[in-house]
Amino acid sequence: MNNKAPFISDQVSVGEYYYLNLTPEIGIREAIVCGGREQCMPDYRIERRGFKFMSIEFVSTGKGSLTLCGKTSPLQPGALFFYGPGIPHTIETDSDAPMLKHFVDFVGSNLVGLIKKTDISSAPVYAPNILRIRTIFDSLLQTGKEETRHRDELCVLLLKQLILTINEAAYSQQEAFSPAWQTYLRCRDHIEQSFQSLRSVGQIADECSLAEEYLCRLFQRYANETPLQLLTRLKMNQAVELLSHSGLLVKQVAEETGYPDPYHFSRVFKRIYGIPPETFRQTSRRTE
């Protein structure tokens, strides 16, 4: 179902949605109403006195601002915020960098209890690992659009995972806009955009104009992985895609993912996935 519900804004250039329970029962303990992702138009601006459901929104790209109960905060990639009944809020995008937002609307006393345990209940928070949060929202979207027997329950579990992850890993506005955080985001973005050409932590540090030791300290402070672990994960994720669908030989996949030595590539692949890349390639072809 791709038609928008009446309460979803038209100020988006592209949107993808799922709908589970638009008329939830009064007193229900936990239920997801709907969710999705939206590319804001340059003039996107939403102003409400409140909202009929509880909602968590996440900014994965672009910039904007949020006014929550009269207090304005900047929005940037990694920002997460909450609003609901009786919570006045204004969401506005930067016209020069329109936001891509993800959201989930929900009801239920159990979920209210989880929200109250997090800082997001009163102010925006910021996730250091943007990909981790976006993956949960993408999983919600994919699961919500599937017509399966346990769809609703699976989506509630994913929402609980999201809330607990926010409680565990997100930072306050003061921390998130510190120079160290901004440097970490810049370095992480560089790795995610250039991982195919990057070969070492030293190269990452050089291209980000940082000392290698400081780069590693930033990841130790803000991430649940080292720069090398992030780089390797990105390369291996691409390798799996290429081995599964491209028809390339193992040595060609190694070259595409930035490993000039195919034997080193094979060792890394086997260490992570437990089987050699050639075995994986043959197996994936048999299952097509």
Side-chain angles (χ1 to χ4, degrees), residues 127-133 136 161 165 168-171 181 184 188 192 216-231 233:
N129 191 334
I130 295 173
L131 182 60
R132 182 180 181 188
I133 299 296
I136 299 175
Q161 180 188 1
T165 300
E168 179 182 70
Y171 290 90
W181 168 278
Y184 162 77
R188 187 179 190 95
E192 291 176 348
C216 292
R217 286 201 301 273
L218 286 175
F219 271 74
Q220 184 179 22
R221 179 177 179 181
Y222 292 118
N224 59 350
E225 57 189 346
T226 67
L228 181 59
Q229 287 171 333
L230 171 60
L231 178 62
R233 178 167 58 80

Side-chain angles (χ1 to χ4, degrees), residues 174-187:
Q174 181 179 2
E175 177 75 5
F177 284 84
S178 67
W181 168 278
Q182 297 299 320
T183 302
Y184 162 77
L185 287 181
R186 176 171 61 83
C187 295

Side-chain angles (χ1 to χ4, degrees), residues 29-61:
R29 298 178 66 187
E30 52 188 37
I32 290 181
V33 176
C34 65
R37 59 171 170 242
E38 303 175 320
Q39 178 62 59
C40 298
M41 291 180 177
D43 59 350
Y44 180 96
R45 188 178 190 274
I46 298 296
E47 185 174 4
R48 303 188 186 104
R49 294 182 179 180
F51 192 59
K52 63 191 300 185
F53 310 118
M54 293 178 288
S55 184
I56 295 175
E57 296 208 19
F58 168 62
V59 179
S60 59
T61 63

Side-chain angles (χ1 to χ4, degrees), residues 1 111 142 146 175 188-189:
M1 181 178 181
L111 298 172
Q142 179 180 348
E146 294 173 347
E175 177 75 5
R188 187 179 190 95
D189 182 68

Side-chain angles (χ1 to χ4, degrees), residues 1-231:
M1 181 178 181
N2 288 318
N3 294 328
K4 294 179 182 178
F7 53 82
I8 291 180
S9 173
D10 289 324
Q11 302 175 56
V12 298
S13 56
V14 180
E16 190 173 4
Y17 308 98
Y18 59 94
Y19 302 98
L20 302 186
N21 193 349
L22 292 175
T23 56
E25 297 177 8
I26 296 175
I28 194 168
R29 298 178 66 187
E30 52 188 37
I32 290 181
V33 176
C34 65
R37 59 171 170 242
E38 303 175 320
Q39 178 62 59
C40 298
M41 291 180 177
D43 59 350
Y44 180 96
R45 188 178 190 274
I46 298 296
E47 185 174 4
R48 303 188 186 104
R49 294 182 179 180
F51 192 59
K52 63 191 300 185
F53 310 118
M54 293 178 288
S55 184
I56 295 175
E57 296 208 19
F58 168 62
V59 179
S60 59
T61 63
K63 297 179 181 179
S65 64
L66 168 71
T67 302
L68 199 63
C69 298
K71 183 177 180 180
T72 300
S73 302
L75 297 176
Q76 65 174 22
L80 290 141
F81 55 95
F82 168 81
Y83 56 84
I87 302 176
H89 56 278
T90 302
I91 309 165
E92 190 167 5
T93 195
D94 184 325
S95 59
D96 294 327
M99 296 183 293
L100 174 64
K101 299 194 295 95
H102 309 246
F103 73 94
V104 55
D105 298 337
F106 54 95
V107 295
S109 56
N110 284 1
L111 298 172
V112 171
L114 274 180
I115 287 288
K116 287 182 177 179
K117 295 179 181 179
T118 72
D119 292 336
I120 198 176
S121 63
S122 57
V125 295
Y126 301 82
N129 191 334
I130 295 173
L131 182 60
R132 182 180 181 188
I133 299 296
R134 178 163 180 165
T135 297
I136 299 175
F137 273 100
D138 287 345
S139 295
L140 271 167
L141 179 58
Q142 179 180 348
T143 304
K145 293 177 71 174
E146 294 173 347
E147 297 290 340
T148 60
R149 185 159 53 108
H150 298 296
R151 178 187 62 178
D152 290 25
E153 293 90 340
L154 288 170
C155 284
V156 167
L157 289 174
L158 285 167
L159 174 57
K160 289 181 177 179
Q161 180 188 1
L162 172 66
I163 297 171
L164 292 173
T165 300
I166 293 170
N167 189 39
E168 179 182 70
Y171 290 90
S172 68
Q173 179 178 329
Q174 181 179 2
E175 177 75 5
F177 284 84
S178 67
W181 168 278
Q182 297 299 320
T183 302
Y184 162 77
L185 287 181
R186 176 171 61 83
C187 295
R188 187 179 190 95
D189 182 68
H190 180 67
I191 295 171
E192 291 176 348
Q193 296 298 322
S194 308
F195 69 89
Q196 291 169 300
S197 63
L198 296 171
R199 297 182 182 178
S200 68
V201 176
Q203 183 185 355
I204 297 169
D206 287 344
E207 293 185 7
C208 292
S209 302
L210 293 176
E212 184 174 335
E213 295 79 6
Y214 182 59
L215 175 66
C216 292
R217 286 201 301 273
L218 286 175
F219 271 74
Q220 184 179 22
R221 179 177 179 181
Y222 292 118
N224 59 350
E225 57 189 346
T226 67
L228 181 59
Q229 287 171 333
L230 171 60
L231 178 62

